[in-house]
């Protein structure tokens, strides 16, 4: 195309510093280098990790950055050495890469990748290397992706090619939140038919976890949230029981233990709060209960009494739902297109890139499940 090999000037939402609204700026996006792909971003979701970086993590070396990591787009051009992609391909950027060569990629036990941006820089949430600049300064690529920009550049190991007919303004949600919650239930917890589950937090990730429990054949799925307005939505995804911890005098783990004859078989924490993580563990039945940490946070230690684990419970964590991105995301897109998983039902708002701060505000106040940002035509 006419832009191949050239710097592209485009609109992006730049987070110049923590705790300050993003600014729509004209940025410069360099052409893809060896093994890289430049993508025109069509749509992106707004995920809690974007907020986390801006308002909670606030690492000074993680700015300025273009946030956004839950997107979908079309390949604009490819750099030298790229054979897997061509201009026009529909793709989803992956914040967890899959190089297929490192010891993690070669193991069926994990979806981590040694070549990911995250290997060294969890706190900053980006690599130092970037293809973005604005006003003569380098701008970091958040989680290696940066979907709050009309164009972005990624290494080919961090991109999944998807079906040509996939609606990008829906399947973008598979780039993080929905895959994360769904996979935490299916892959990490390995929920079994007939089991009893509890999911803590009814944001998009928690609702996706509910959907995973249902698809895995759970007989009871207890939705736990302090915002009872979320319970109608939880029902849509398959929740059978609803508990507001604030409506009870005793701790939530005791409430759940009473409801389930000793505790749930599986619990999933989808909030990113260490106190809730403990409650989720304590809500599991002894002997075989499994509790999975899904919510993202890196600010505090978690704690529990050793007897919880000695008595036979298992405490696990899940990143990106345990999905190896290149292998699994194209399949999840097909699952959506075949009606096996829901995406439409997560979307409560749609905005333009200019309204990105409104989208952030909506999420901060719990006023949305997922807001879709239409980034490009």
């Amino acid at each position: 195309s006419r832009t191949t090999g050239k710097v592209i000037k485009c609109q992006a939402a730049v987070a110049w510093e923590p705790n300050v609204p993003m600014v729509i700026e004209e940025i410069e996006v360099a052409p893809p280098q060896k093994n890289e792909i430049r993508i025109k971003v069509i749509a992106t979701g707004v995920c809690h990790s974007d907020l986390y970086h801006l308002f909670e993590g606030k690492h000074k070396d993680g700015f300025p950055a273009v946030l956004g990591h839950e997107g979908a787009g079309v390949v604009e051009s490819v750099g030298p050495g790229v054979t897997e992609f061509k201009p026009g391909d529909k793709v989803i950027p992956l914040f967890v890469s899959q190089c297929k060569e490192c010891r993690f990629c070669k193991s069926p036990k994990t979806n981590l990748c040694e070549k990911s941006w995250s290997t060294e820089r969890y706190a900053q949430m980006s690599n130092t290397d970037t293809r973005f600049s604005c006003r003569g300064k380098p701008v970091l690529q958040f989680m290696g992706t940066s979907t709050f920009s009309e164009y972005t550049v990624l290494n080919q190991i961090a991109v999944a090619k998807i079906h040509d007919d996939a609606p990008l303004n829906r399947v973008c949600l598979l780039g993080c939140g929905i895959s994360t919650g769904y996979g935490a239930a299916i892959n990490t917890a390995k929920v079994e038919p007939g089991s009893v589950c509890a999911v803590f937090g009814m944001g998009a990730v928690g609702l996706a976890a509910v959907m995973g429990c249902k698809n895995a054949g759970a007989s009871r799925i207890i939705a736990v949230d302090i915002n009872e307005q979320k319970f109608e939505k939880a029902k849509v995804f398959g929740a059978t029981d609803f508990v507001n911890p604030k409506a009870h005098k005793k701790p939530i783990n005791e409430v759940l233990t009473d409801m389930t004859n000793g505790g749930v078989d599986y619990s999933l924490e989808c909030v990113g709060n260490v106190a809730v993580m403990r409650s989720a563990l304590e809500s599991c039945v002894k002997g075989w209960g499994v509790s999975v940490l899904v919510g993202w946070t890196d600010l505090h230690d978690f704690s529990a009494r050793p007897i919880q684990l000695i008595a036979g419970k298992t405490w696990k964590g899940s990143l990106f739902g345990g999905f190896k991105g290149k292998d699994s995301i194209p399949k999840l897109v097909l699952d959506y297109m075949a009606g096996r998983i829901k995406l439409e039902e997560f979307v409560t708002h749609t905005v333009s890139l200019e309204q990105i701060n409104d989208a952030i505000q909506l999420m901060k106040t719990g006023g949305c499940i997922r807001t879709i940002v239409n980034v490009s035509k």
Side-chain angles (χ1 to χ4, degrees):
S1 76
R2 57 188 176 76
T3 48
T4 304
K6 301 188 177 117
V7 169
I8 291 180
K9 290 184 174 177
C10 69
Q11 300 285 296
V14 178
W16 286 104
E17 52 185 313
N19 263 343
V20 175
M22 292 176 271
V23 184
I24 302 296
E25 301 272 10
E26 182 179 84
I27 68 163
E28 298 188 332
V29 182
Q33 298 183 11
K34 188 172 190 276
N35 296 328
E36 292 179 345
I37 304 169
R38 190 160 56 184
I39 294 164
K40 180 178 188 176
V41 179
I42 302 298
T44 181
V46 181
C47 174
H48 192 267
S49 306
D50 301 316
L51 267 76
Y52 170 87
H53 186 65
L54 197 55
F55 301 115
E56 295 166 41
K58 298 190 291 200
H59 196 291
K60 63 175 176 17
D61 298 335
F63 296 87
V66 172
L67 303 180
H69 62 286
E70 191 178 81
V74 178
V75 176
E76 173 268 339
S77 62
V78 301
V82 175
T83 53
E84 197 186 330
F85 300 91
K86 62 185 188 306
D89 283 350
K90 285 189 176 179
V91 290
I92 289 178
L94 303 171
F95 72 90
V96 180
S97 54
Q98 189 188 355
C99 74
K100 302 199 176 184
E101 290 167 1
C102 72
R103 64 191 177 127
F104 293 100
C105 281
K106 283 179 172 165
S107 166
K109 294 180 178 177
T110 182
N111 64 332
L112 300 185
C113 172
E114 227 155 32
K115 297 196 182 157
S116 181
W117 61 272
S118 58
T119 322
E120 300 295 325
R121 289 172 55 92
Y122 268 122
Q124 297 87 344
M125 297 190 82
S126 65
N127 269 335
T128 46
D129 196 21
T130 175
R131 300 287 164 261
F132 290 169
S133 60
C134 183
R135 303 171 191 253
K137 294 190 189 75
V139 175
L140 298 170
Q141 291 188 233
F142 179 70
M143 293 175 99
T145 50
S146 292
T147 56
F148 297 170
S149 170
E150 292 179 305
Y151 288 87
T152 187
V153 178
L154 291 102
N155 191 299
Q156 62 179 347
I157 66 171
V159 182
K161 178 172 159 28
I162 61 169
H163 197 285
D164 283 336
D165 297 335
L168 297 179
N169 65 344
R170 290 298 177 259
V171 298
C172 60
L173 296 178
L174 294 169
C176 179
I178 309 316
S179 305
T180 293
Y182 186 70
I186 302 273
N187 301 326
T188 313
K190 295 186 166 60
V191 170
E192 294 174 312
S195 59
V196 176
C197 302
V199 179
F200 291 72
M202 289 296 114
V205 174
L207 292 168
V210 168
M211 177 169 74
C213 293
K214 181 173 169 50
N215 281 11
S219 62
R220 270 181 93 186
I221 304 165
I222 305 166
V224 182
D225 201 298
I226 56 174
N227 177 356
E228 295 189 7
Q229 287 173 314
K230 299 272 172 89
F231 292 155
E232 272 314 300
K233 211 45 152 169
K235 204 175 278 180
V236 171
F237 290 101
T240 57
D241 301 69
F242 309 90
V243 182
N244 175 358
K246 295 210 156 150
H248 295 270
K249 292 272 190 291
K250 55 186 172 187
I252 180 66
N253 60 295
E254 292 181 24
V255 176
L256 291 175
T257 302
D258 291 349
M259 281 172 68
T260 56
N261 185 26
V264 300
D265 300 305
Y266 302 96
S267 67
L268 296 110
E269 193 278 353
C270 303
V271 182
N273 175 309
V274 293
V276 180
M277 290 170 187
R278 180 171 187 159
S279 295
L281 177 72
E282 292 175 346
S283 302
C284 277
V285 70
K286 65 186 178 189
W288 62 75
V290 173
S291 189
V292 182
L293 312 188
V294 192
W296 178 276
T297 183
D298 194 24
L299 296 178
H300 309 285
D301 294 349
F302 60 70
S303 59
R305 289 297 172 100
I307 188 65
Q308 295 285 328
L309 303 186
I310 292 168
K313 299 184 188 187
T314 305
W315 218 357
K316 303 171 83 167
S318 185
L319 181 67
F320 194 36
F323 286 116
K324 288 182 185 279
K326 274 184 186 286
D327 295 344
S328 305
I329 300 310
K331 289 185 188 144
L332 287 173
V333 167
L334 295 177
D335 281 342
Y336 165 65
M337 291 169 71
R340 288 187 287 269
I341 60 173
K342 296 174 161 55
L343 290 179
E344 194 69 40
E345 292 78 356
F346 290 96
V347 181
T348 53
H349 300 75
T350 304
V351 301
S352 65
L353 187 60
E354 286 70 33
Q355 299 165 293
I356 189 72
N357 289 310
D358 301 338
I360 292 281
Q361 208 44 46
L362 260 176
M363 178 165 251
K364 235 182 157 175
T365 56
C368 66
I369 301 295
R370 268 296 184 266
T371 299
I372 300 286
V373 183
N374 288 323
V375 181
S376 305
K377 295 287 177 288

